[in-house]
Amino acid sequence: FGDVACFSFYPTKILGAYGDGGFVSTNSLKLYQRARRLRFYGIEQIVKKNKFVIQNNESIYSTGGKNLWKNHLEGKDPGLGIVPIRKDNKCKWGCLDVDDYSVDIEKISKQFVKKNLIVCRSKSGGVHLYLFCKDWIPASVMKHKLEELSSTLGFGGCEVFPKQIQILAERGDVGGWINMPYFNCKNTDRFAIHNGNNLSLEQFLELAESKLL
């Protein structure tokens, strides 16, 4: 009866989801391609506009990935954003993105000294809480654990990364990326805080290694 049909996954619907969601169906290739662009802020490629996005976590260890990290740490725009989930739907790290700017980051860092979460100041001035693992684990496990933690810590409703538990790489799925800390690391405002102390990049890496699950 039309060119496009829309279906809602709002939590009160029969096919509910965690938060807002839905899907669009169409037999028009042109409309499909436009909807696909619109679903994720216009992102279609690994590198797009003002953000670098690395879809496959393993690629950050390649020569190209290392160069992107080097530019990020030296403060060369654009900054670096990484998708936690690999194309095999596994991840080694996750993050809670708390955009409550009234949160006392220093206080939180003191509360989390004995926890495995690492507190970082985000680009927008909020809080990123990172969780790192020794091995690759299913993204569904990481996401579920972080959602549990967000509720326990009083941050229910915050963004959780990985945002997806499955991506269809063959279909061109990208996944949700998050801005990395330590942009322009020698003069950054995106640093980790531990027990009330701002950490250098080297200190952050040492702390992350010590808190691997």
Side-chain angles (χ1 to χ4, degrees):
F1 299 104
D3 297 318
V4 176
C6 301
F7 300 82
S8 172
F9 289 165
Y10 192 75
T12 58
K13 303 294 185 180
I14 296 175
L15 292 175
Y18 290 108
D20 293 335
F23 77 87
V24 173
S25 65
T26 179
N27 60 2
S28 166
L29 178 61
K30 184 177 180 179
L31 290 175
Y32 160 74
Q33 292 172 335
R34 178 171 174 77
R36 185 175 161 188
R37 288 194 299 270
L38 292 173
R39 69 176 177 159
F40 192 57
Y41 311 112
I43 294 176
E44 288 186 282
Q45 302 175 8
I46 300 305
V47 179
K48 184 76 173 180
K49 295 185 178 179
N50 297 321
K51 293 285 182 295
F52 280 116
V53 180
I54 300 178
Q55 181 176 359
N56 186 341
N57 255 295
E58 293 175 322
S59 67
I60 66 175
Y61 304 109
S62 67
T63 300
K66 289 178 180 178
N67 287 336
L68 293 180
W69 269 116
K70 182 175 182 292
N71 290 340
H72 178 82
L73 296 175
E74 291 177 353
K76 296 178 181 178
D77 287 321
L80 180 61
I82 292 183
V83 179
I85 185 173
R86 295 193 311 188
K87 60 184 178 181
D88 63 357
N89 301 316
K90 292 185 177 181
C91 58
K92 244 186 178 180
W93 61 275
C95 183
L96 296 177
D97 183 3
V98 183
D99 285 330
D100 181 353
Y101 305 113
S102 65
V103 169
D104 188 331
I105 302 178
E106 184 175 321
K107 181 179 179 181
I108 289 177
S109 75
K110 293 178 179 178
Q111 294 173 339
F112 290 177
V113 169
K114 295 184 179 181
K115 296 184 183 295
N116 289 94
L117 291 169
I118 298 179
V119 180
C120 286
R121 188 179 185 278
S122 69
K123 178 182 178 181
S124 62
V127 183
H128 283 172
L129 301 173
Y130 287 95
L131 184 66
F132 296 96
C133 295
K134 294 179 182 178
D135 302 310
W136 294 99
I137 65 172
S140 57
V141 174
M142 175 67 78
K143 185 174 175 62
H144 178 68
K145 181 61 178 177
L146 287 171
E147 287 171 344
E148 281 187 344
L149 286 170
S150 68
S151 297
T152 301
L153 299 171
F155 300 135
C158 72
E159 279 194 278
V160 176
F161 293 84
K163 293 184 76 69
Q164 297 84 12
I165 61 173
Q166 181 183 31
I167 58 171
L168 300 176
E170 67 277 7
R171 195 181 65 184
D173 284 0
V174 174
W177 49 263
I178 186 168
N179 287 308
M180 290 291 96
Y182 290 94
F183 178 76
N184 189 19
C185 67
K186 292 184 178 179
N187 187 32
T188 188
D189 57 1
R190 294 189 235 169
F191 43 75
I193 307 172
H194 182 64
N195 200 20
N197 300 309
N198 298 346
L199 302 187
S200 66
L201 174 61
E202 292 75 15
Q203 290 171 325
F204 164 69
L205 294 174
E206 289 177 4
L207 181 63
E209 287 287 342
S210 71
K211 289 184 176 291
L212 290 174
L213 292 176

